[in-house]
Amino acid sequence: MLPEKFENRMKEILKGDYEAFKSSYSEKPVRAFRVNTRKISVEDFLKLCPFPVSQIPYSDNGFYFDCDSVGNTPYHHAGMIYVQEPAAMAVAECLDIKSDWTVLDLCAAPGGKTTQLACKVKDGVIVSNEIIPSRCKILTGNVERMGLNNVITACADSAKLSSLFGNEFDLVVVDAPCSGEGMFRKDETAVSEWSEENVTRCAERQKEILSNIRSVVKYGGYMIYSTCTFSVEENEKVVDSFLSENSDFELFPVTERVKAATADGICFDGCKCKNINECRRFYPHISSGEGQFMALLHRKSVGDNYSKPREEALVEIPKSEFKTVKEFLDGTLENYESGGMKKYKNNIVYFPFDFTVPRGIAFSCGVTVGEVRKHYIQPHHQLFTALGKNFKRQIELSEAQTEKYLRGETVECDCENGWAAVLYNGCTLGGVKAVNSAAKNHYPKGLRNLK
């Protein structure tokens, strides 16, 4: 049952559309996924897909579906797809994102928007930040599963990030913590925890986050502010307050296809922003999905862009380990950029990008290759998911072999001895150590399907 005060507030917002909105709560929540085009094309995935799907109108690689246990399928394990709420997909579709941009995803866990952005930003760098360490681990796991090589996962608050970075991001995505009204249909906890007092607290926190992070947006760059709530206090009023205090930002129109799937922003009493209607509201009675709010903000070109000097987290591989690392890489990969191999904490990482990774905040950066032990490398799962197609030894698994592999079992193989990437329909699942026609399983135990 919806809170009475929430219903009264929604009646004021929606007027004559309220009954249609309320009726949508008796319907089953909509499910969707995105094809990870960093691993497989949409066309090729649709040839493989065993369940019926329909296109999401504002996303080229997004599809509605209705079936269970997708997380146990090899399509999910291989990072071919990412299950994501369809309204949430609209955020990264608000503008034309360039392939070489530098992007900050500020409130990123569990990784839906980061992995969506990575399908667009293939040549640039994404800093994907989550302030809660346990959630940052989940975020990092999804980045690994999707086989991404250009993502830094970080754990810091907005004030810390603004102290480390200059105005060097082409795009900053702030999917801010909110009262969660848009998730009421699928999350009973959000309903039970809702209160007008919490709405007010969330709005103050959102204003603080935007105030802290505004400085890292390039002049001429963009910031997307989004929430999964309906309250005007957390949405249009936050945007209006921000624009009133920051004259170098302006509210910008979203793409036509996102506009077509959403309703206009609400002009409230005392609103100073003349085009507040350019904000977008995603309602479940208008488009298939839950609740979402989006505002695309453009920073005017009124100054110079710069990067702050910062202590680099990545260091050169020590001479004592260099030979071991080189022999492993030369014997495992067809080719690689040697200059992109660095050391981060205890691991060798592959990060061939011109971007200074700040010391002290990163969970991971680029591709975690593995750990140097006593004169050998213990490879990391991400080495296989991200660089598997560049392995000298590759094993394409049958359906039966794939089932065994995902349960953690050894599979037979016709492969020379050594580390090998295992693939399902051309996409990397993980790795094995081939020894005398047996592929010894190195799929992480926490990811395996139950027997």
Side-chain angles (χ1 to χ4, degrees):
M1 181 178 294
L2 297 175
E4 182 179 356
K5 288 184 178 179
F6 167 74
E7 289 201 65
N8 291 337
R9 291 160 63 91
M10 293 307 297
K11 287 176 183 177
E12 180 64 26
I13 288 173
L14 292 169
K15 303 292 193 292
D17 285 344
Y18 177 73
E19 289 304 322
F21 168 80
K22 187 174 182 180
S23 294
S24 71
Y25 279 71
S26 62
E27 300 172 1
K28 184 179 177 181
V30 179
R31 301 189 70 192
F33 68 82
R34 284 180 294 98
V35 176
N36 177 16
T37 53
R38 295 288 295 268
K39 277 206 167 185
I40 188 170
S41 70
V42 171
E43 181 182 15
D44 286 343
F45 178 77
L46 293 179
K47 293 176 182 176
L48 302 174
C49 187
F51 42 84
V53 300
S54 57
Q55 181 86 47
I56 294 175
Y58 46 84
S59 173
D60 291 338
N61 60 333
F63 297 87
Y64 304 111
F65 76 100
D66 186 15
C67 64
D68 297 324
S69 301
V70 172
N72 292 329
T73 66
Y75 313 105
H76 178 272
H77 282 281
M80 296 184 196
I81 60 173
Y82 188 102
V83 176
Q84 185 180 15
E85 204 284 308
M89 290 186 201
V91 175
E93 302 294 343
C94 282
L95 77 164
D96 180 20
I97 296 172
K98 307 302 182 184
S99 179
D100 62 348
W101 277 5
T102 304
V103 177
L104 170 63
D105 186 2
L106 183 63
C107 311
K113 293 178 180 64
T114 290
T115 56
Q116 185 179 11
L117 290 163
C119 288
K120 302 172 183 292
V121 179
K122 299 178 182 179
D123 305 310
V125 171
I126 299 174
V127 178
S128 181
N129 183 77
E130 172 55 49
I131 191 172
I132 301 173
S134 60
R135 285 173 56 79
C136 195
K137 291 180 181 178
I138 295 170
L139 164 66
T140 302
N142 279 320
V143 168
E144 292 172 358
R145 178 173 64 86
M146 304 301 274
L148 307 177
N149 69 338
N150 62 337
V151 176
I152 301 162
T153 62
C155 186
D157 62 28
S158 54
K160 178 68 173 179
L161 292 170
S162 66
S163 72
L164 290 171
F165 294 104
N167 58 336
E168 53 196 286
F169 291 99
D170 299 281
L171 172 64
V172 174
V173 178
V174 183
D175 188 34
C178 67
S179 60
E181 295 171 353
M183 296 293 108
F184 280 3
R185 185 166 65 167
K186 60 185 297 185
D187 187 353
E188 293 182 1
T189 301
V191 178
S192 64
E193 293 180 349
W194 183 87
S195 69
E196 290 184 314
E197 291 76 17
N198 190 41
V199 168
T200 301
R201 285 193 296 270
C202 287
E204 291 306 310
R205 179 169 53 180
Q206 291 150 2
K207 290 177 183 178
E208 179 183 1
I209 290 171
L210 288 181
S211 178
N212 286 340
I213 211 65
R214 61 172 296 282
S215 63
V216 306
V217 182
K218 279 184 178 180
Y219 289 116
Y222 297 87
M223 179 161 62
I224 302 174
Y225 172 69
S226 66
T227 71
C228 58
T229 200
F230 300 119
S231 74
V232 176
E233 294 94 326
E234 297 177 75
N235 294 333
E236 287 88 353
K237 287 188 177 181
V238 168
V239 172
D240 186 60
S241 174
F242 177 80
L243 292 173
S244 296
E245 297 171 1
N246 296 278
S247 59
D248 53 333
F249 281 84
E250 60 185 341
L251 188 57
F252 209 72
V254 302
T255 58
E256 285 299 319
R257 57 184 185 172
V258 169
K259 186 174 182 178
T262 53
D264 288 353
I266 294 170
C267 186
F268 56 90
D269 289 342
C271 180
K272 298 176 183 177
C273 178
K274 294 181 179 180
N275 64 331
I276 198 71
N277 63 300
E278 296 287 4
C279 295
R280 307 314 303 166
R281 287 177 157 261
F282 197 111
Y283 292 117
H285 68 289
I286 292 177
S287 295
S288 295
E290 306 309 310
Q292 190 79 39
F293 171 86
M294 295 158 281
L296 176 59
L297 304 169
H298 175 245
R299 193 174 192 186
K300 302 170 188 176
S301 299
V302 294
D304 296 325
N305 297 317
Y306 68 98
S307 297
K308 285 184 179 179
R310 49 186 179 264
E311 191 175 2
E312 172 68 84
L314 306 184
V315 299
E316 296 298 324
I317 299 170
K319 290 182 179 179
S320 60
E321 299 176 355
F322 185 82
K323 181 180 178 182
T324 300
V325 173
K326 187 175 188 304
E327 287 179 350
F328 171 79
L329 294 171
D330 289 347
T332 303
L333 301 178
E334 290 286 356
N335 54 72
Y336 60 93
E337 293 181 37
S338 59
M341 292 294 172
K342 304 290 183 181
K343 190 163 187 181
Y344 177 64
K345 295 182 179 178
N346 294 325
N347 287 310
I348 305 301
V349 299
Y350 185 55
F351 189 71
F353 299 94
D354 183 20
F355 186 89
T356 302
V357 180
R359 184 180 292 274
I361 66 167
F363 260 51
S364 68
C365 41
V367 179
T368 302
V369 174
E371 183 179 358
V372 180
R373 298 187 178 174
K374 291 183 179 179
H375 305 298
Y376 73 96
I377 298 281
Q378 181 61 39
H380 191 278
H381 179 57
Q382 193 180 14
L383 174 65
F384 302 103
T385 61
L387 301 180
K389 289 191 176 180
N390 202 28
F391 266 55
K392 291 184 175 181
R393 291 173 289 275
Q394 299 180 18
I395 304 169
E396 179 71 35
L397 300 183
S398 67
E399 294 283 347
Q401 286 177 314
T402 298
E403 290 182 9
K404 291 180 66 177
Y405 179 77
L406 293 178
R407 292 195 299 265
E409 300 174 17
T410 297
V411 295
E412 295 180 357
C413 67
D414 181 16
C415 178
E416 67 178 49
N417 291 352
W419 290 106
V422 295
L423 293 80
Y424 176 77
N425 281 293
C427 291
T428 311
L429 282 166
V432 295
K433 184 71 174 288
V435 180
N436 298 330
S437 300
K440 295 186 177 181
N441 203 308
H442 281 263
Y443 198 59
K445 291 182 179 179
L447 301 180
R448 295 173 182 177
N449 286 341
L450 298 176
K451 297 183 180 180

